[in-house]
């Protein structure tokens, strides 16, 4: 029995398509494999809590509480609209940070503070004696110094902490601290200009 050559081109075309499809699939798998290899250099996900993480949680909670209290003090004692706007932003952002930190440590063997450090309490008490323009100027200068000083706390946790969630909080909050500092510098320039 003799076979016809009419069906051979169709079979040949099917074979070519199958080889091309196979090559495309193989290339895709290779690309996925190479992409997943890039993640090997990333830090491993660690859910343990180190002493560094505990120290940071306590210190950052004191910082957050101080910022909320100082923001409220600025709403009570401040006069300049830019200071009042800054204080409102500070309270809103730090209240959110406080809720986030409480959620992160909930159920973990980590303590956080409901108060401020002695140093921040002293700063609060000093500012509380002022009002009006004197308060505005002292408050915003204090904010710039406080934000500058706090950056190393967040950077230290990012570099030396072990718990990935707490480190993530530190990284996010450091970004917020930098934004607040930039805003505080702008407010300071407005307060200084209006005082001329």
């Amino acid at each position: 029995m003799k076979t016809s050559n009419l069906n051979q081109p169709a079979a040949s075309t099917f074979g070519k398509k199958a080889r091309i499809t196979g090559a495309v699939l193989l290339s895709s798998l290779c690309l996925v494999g190479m992409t997943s290899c890039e993640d090997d250099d990333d830090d491993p996900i660690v859910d343990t809590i180190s002493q560094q993480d505990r120290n940071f949680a306590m210190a950052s909670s004191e910082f957050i509480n101080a910022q909320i209290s100082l923001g409220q003090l600025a709403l009570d004692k401040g006069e300049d609209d830019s200071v009042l706007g800054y204080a409102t932003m500070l309270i809103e952002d730090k209240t959110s940070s406080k809720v986030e930190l409480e959620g992160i440590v909930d159920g973990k063997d980590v303590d956080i503070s409901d108060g401020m450090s002695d140093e921040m309490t002293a700063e609060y008490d000093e500012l509380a004696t002022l009002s009006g323009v004197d308060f505005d100027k002292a408050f915003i200068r204090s904010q710039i110094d406080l934000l500058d000083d706090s950056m190393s706390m967040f950077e230290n946790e990012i570099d030396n902490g072990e718990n990935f969630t707490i480190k993530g909080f530190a990284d996010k909050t450091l970004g917020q601290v930098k934004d607040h500092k930039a805003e505080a510098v702008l407010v300071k320039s407005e307060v200084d200009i209006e005082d001329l």
Side-chain angles (χ1 to χ4, degrees):
M1 180 175 180
K2 196 172 184 183
T3 57
S4 170
N5 289 339
L6 292 176
N7 291 334
Q8 286 181 352
S12 175
T13 303
F14 174 78
K16 285 181 183 176
K17 287 182 181 178
R19 283 192 300 273
I20 291 170
T21 303
V24 168
L25 285 174
L26 183 59
S27 297
S28 298
L29 289 173
C30 288
L31 285 174
V32 168
M34 289 189 315
T35 303
S36 67
C37 288
E38 291 173 6
D39 294 338
D40 290 343
D41 294 337
D42 291 345
D43 291 334
I45 294 176
V46 179
D47 198 28
T48 58
I49 311 277
S50 68
Q51 190 58 47
Q52 163 63 35
D53 298 324
R54 285 183 179 83
N55 294 344
F56 168 76
M58 181 59 74
S60 65
S61 65
E62 290 176 339
F63 168 76
I64 289 167
N65 294 333
Q67 288 291 74
I68 293 169
S69 295
L70 289 167
Q72 188 58 55
L73 183 64
L75 288 181
D76 295 341
K77 298 271 195 171
E79 187 175 276
D80 190 277
D81 287 342
S82 59
V83 169
L84 299 175
Y86 177 86
T88 302
M89 174 199 67
L90 197 61
I91 293 168
E92 289 173 2
D93 289 351
K94 291 306 173 192
T95 300
S96 295
S97 294
K98 182 175 183 171
V99 169
E100 184 177 356
L101 181 60
E102 288 170 345
I104 289 170
V105 302
D106 186 39
K108 293 181 171 68
D109 183 25
V110 177
D111 293 325
I112 57 174
S113 175
D114 287 331
M116 303 183 270
S117 69
D118 292 341
E119 181 183 340
M120 292 181 197
T121 300
E123 183 71 23
Y124 178 94
D125 291 344
E126 186 176 324
L127 287 169
T129 65
L130 304 172
S131 61
V133 175
D134 292 336
F135 174 86
D136 290 341
K137 291 167 70 175
F139 167 77
I140 208 63
R141 278 195 309 268
S142 169
Q143 275 296 296
I144 292 169
D145 292 342
L146 181 59
L147 293 167
D148 272 340
D149 293 345
S150 71
M151 285 186 199
S152 61
M153 170 180 56
F154 295 100
E155 290 165 349
N156 187 39
E157 174 62 17
I158 293 164
D159 293 342
N160 301 310
E162 290 182 21
N163 184 277
F164 69 97
T165 309
I166 296 174
K167 286 176 68 161
F169 173 79
D171 188 49
K172 176 182 175 182
T173 309
L174 177 61
Q176 186 185 74
V177 166
K178 289 178 179 179
D179 291 345
H180 287 179
K181 182 185 173 201
E183 185 66 26
V185 169
L186 290 174
V187 171
K188 181 182 181 303
S189 65
E190 289 178 29
V191 168
D192 290 345
I193 287 171
E194 289 177 11
D195 191 40
L196 292 176

